[in-house]
Amino acid sequence: MACFIGLPKSEMESKERFNNFARDSYWPVLTQCMSVIMAAACIYGGIKWIEKANNILVPFLLIIVMFTCGWSLTRTYAEVGIKFLFTPTWSSLKDPEMWIAAASQNAFDTGAGIGALATFAAFMSRQRGAVRYGTIIPMLNNLVSFISSITVFSTVFATLIQNTPTLTRLGIVKIMQLTGPGSTGLTFIWFPVLFESLGVFGRIVCLLFFICLTVAGLSTTISDLEVYTMVLDDCGVSHRKSVAIALIANILVGLPSALNLNILANQDNVWGIALLISGILMASLVIRYGPMKYRRYIVNEFGIDDWNLPKVWIFMITILVPLQGIILIIWWIYDMIASDPHWYMFTYESVTSLCVEWMILLAALIGINVIALWRKWSIFPVAKTYGNNPYELDFLKTFTDL
């Protein structure tokens, strides 16, 4: 709407508009429901149309990101923000929260922590190159994040210094941190200010940018929803019912976050860190199966014209990944308890709330498994009728045409 009525000219005006939308209205509930419904429709009726759209819109988004980055670098005082961004604060390396945030963000961005890649791997042929994708995707993801960070810091510092010359660098950083819980409003506050300086052309670019951003977010919702749907499909539920159940569950679970940004920040923190636990568990599956056998038969000999996993990967998946995840989580919890005298209280960001939410999920999963064992349920009856058994490797000799 701002693209038509005029973009905000200052940080305060942009922040007020964002708060009116995200905090003081029910628009987030409507948009959340719309995005989940569109994602469910794509999964139910096929996702080829969204893939075709993404083939155009996502590259176009990258072009706009590159353009905005270049434009932000031309702004007066942009170099101050860049200098601040690339000036390391070595003491921050002692902060476990920084390491946790970086690891969980990468786990979410790449889909590795939520099992999205494992789910979509079921649709991949042997020529797709799982190792190649698994290497290129994180590299491109971090490259885009790197470019975006330059854009944001250049824009924020240039805008604030021009509007309020008396602000210090620490004062600017504090304002950036106060744009919303978990910096939820950073993109929606500062990018419109940047585009406003382009005049009418800026409105057009702003509209295209957020359309592309919406489509990119929709594609992420589709991949997440597909994970839940595939699990239900494997349990023997019809695809129509699986999509309906995943749709309703996703809306209900996401509704509190849409109503309250503090809950959104809480959920982002709780389940963002839980992605590290998920990564440890996925690594444990490889360890239990046998990392050397997994590397040779499941990856290297199965893929056609793909990159081979090096031997160092065995060390990484069996020692480095589990050890890193365990140390980071224990270090972070210890630091939270040591630095917060009221750590035992239930707040949106307390370690107690985080652990309680984890325990609730763990208790539910254990309960479901105990009931399934007691009742002798075959939870995944359909999954046994197709695919290949990784413990029977004869399929490698017959699947040469896939």
Side-chain angles (χ1 to χ4, degrees):
M1 186 65 69
C3 298
F4 299 100
I5 64 176
L7 297 174
K9 298 181 179 180
S10 66
E11 174 262 342
M12 291 300 297
E13 182 182 356
S14 184
K15 185 176 180 180
E16 181 180 359
R17 292 191 186 184
F18 175 77
N19 288 335
N20 289 338
F21 173 84
R23 294 175 181 266
D24 305 327
S25 72
Y26 290 100
W27 277 105
V29 177
L30 176 62
T31 53
Q32 187 248 355
C33 292
M34 289 175 58
S35 64
V36 176
I37 291 173
M38 286 189 290
C42 293
I43 294 175
Y44 178 78
I47 61 174
K48 289 185 177 180
W49 69 272
I50 196 67
E51 291 177 346
K52 293 180 180 179
N54 281 337
N55 287 336
I56 299 174
L57 291 173
V58 173
F60 190 50
L61 171 63
L62 296 178
I63 293 174
I64 296 177
V65 169
M66 294 295 295
F67 171 78
T68 54
C69 179
W71 180 264
S72 67
L73 295 178
T74 65
R75 305 200 68 187
T76 307
Y77 303 115
E79 71 279 0
V80 180
I82 297 175
K83 183 178 179 180
F84 181 85
L85 175 63
F86 289 100
T87 301
T89 303
W90 299 110
S91 59
S92 63
L93 296 177
K94 300 178 182 179
D95 184 8
E97 188 172 355
M98 183 195 70
W99 295 97
I100 285 284
S104 60
Q105 185 64 44
N106 271 273
F108 174 79
D109 286 348
T110 59
I114 60 175
L117 294 181
T119 301
F120 284 100
F123 302 98
M124 294 174 62
S125 65
R126 298 179 67 181
Q127 290 90 349
R128 289 296 182 182
V131 180
R132 187 165 59 248
Y133 281 142
T135 304
I136 294 176
I137 288 176
M139 293 175 62
L140 291 178
N141 169 73
N142 289 335
L143 177 61
V144 173
S145 299
F146 176 73
I147 296 173
S148 299
S149 66
I150 295 176
T151 305
V152 171
F153 274 82
S154 300
T155 304
V156 171
F157 274 76
T159 303
L160 284 180
I161 291 176
Q162 292 182 61
N163 293 338
T164 313
T166 57
L167 271 178
T168 63
R169 292 192 304 175
L170 292 179
I172 294 175
V173 173
K174 186 176 181 180
I175 291 177
M176 293 175 64
Q177 294 173 341
L178 294 177
T179 54
S183 295
T184 49
L186 196 57
T187 299
F188 300 96
I189 288 176
W190 289 109
F191 273 83
V193 175
L194 169 64
F195 290 128
E196 192 277 335
S197 63
L198 298 176
V200 177
F201 179 67
R203 295 187 186 184
I204 299 174
V205 176
C206 183
L207 177 63
L208 294 175
F209 174 81
F210 283 107
I211 287 177
C212 292
L213 198 63
T214 300
V215 173
L218 179 61
S219 64
T220 301
T221 304
I222 291 173
S223 64
D224 293 345
L225 206 62
E226 178 69 11
V227 174
Y228 318 139
T229 303
M230 283 292 294
V231 171
L232 293 172
D233 287 347
D234 288 346
C235 290
V237 182
S238 67
H239 184 67
R240 179 182 299 179
K241 292 181 180 179
S242 297
V243 174
I245 294 173
L247 166 66
I248 296 173
N250 200 294
I251 290 178
L252 293 178
V253 172
L255 191 60
S257 297
L259 291 171
N260 191 321
L261 285 180
N262 290 315
I263 297 178
L264 174 63
N266 167 265
Q267 294 298 287
D268 178 63
N269 182 54
V270 171
W271 305 117
I273 299 175
L275 292 179
L276 300 184
I277 299 178
S278 176
I280 295 173
L281 294 176
M282 295 185 73
S284 68
L285 292 177
V286 177
I287 296 173
R288 185 176 183 274
Y289 178 79
M292 297 183 67
K293 184 168 65 172
Y294 184 91
R295 170 182 171 269
R296 178 180 176 182
Y297 296 108
I298 304 301
V299 180
N300 287 350
E301 292 189 7
F302 183 80
I304 297 177
D305 296 329
D306 190 14
W307 300 345
N308 285 334
L309 276 179
K311 292 182 179 179
V312 69
W313 176 84
I314 297 176
F315 167 77
M316 295 172 63
I317 200 68
T318 57
I319 298 178
L320 187 60
V321 170
L323 190 63
Q324 176 185 351
I326 293 172
I327 290 177
L328 282 179
I329 293 173
I330 294 177
W331 183 22
W332 178 79
I333 292 177
Y334 171 79
D335 182 75
M336 289 288 290
I337 295 176
S339 60
D340 185 6
H342 303 291
W343 61 269
Y344 53 87
M345 299 181 66
F346 285 93
T347 62
Y348 287 113
E349 298 182 356
S350 70
V351 66
T352 302
S353 300
L354 177 140
C355 291
V356 168
E357 291 181 60
W358 283 358
M359 291 301 105
I360 292 175
L361 177 62
L362 180 62
L365 293 176
I366 293 177
I368 293 173
N369 280 273
V370 169
I371 294 174
L373 290 174
W374 175 52
R375 301 291 296 179
K376 297 182 180 180
W377 289 342
S378 181
I379 301 180
F380 300 107
V382 177
K384 297 177 181 178
T385 63
Y386 63 88
N388 302 292
N389 189 340
Y391 293 96
E392 297 177 3
L393 301 174
D394 291 339
F395 69 88
L396 286 173
K397 301 177 182 179
T398 59
F399 272 58
T400 56
D401 296 330
L402 290 181

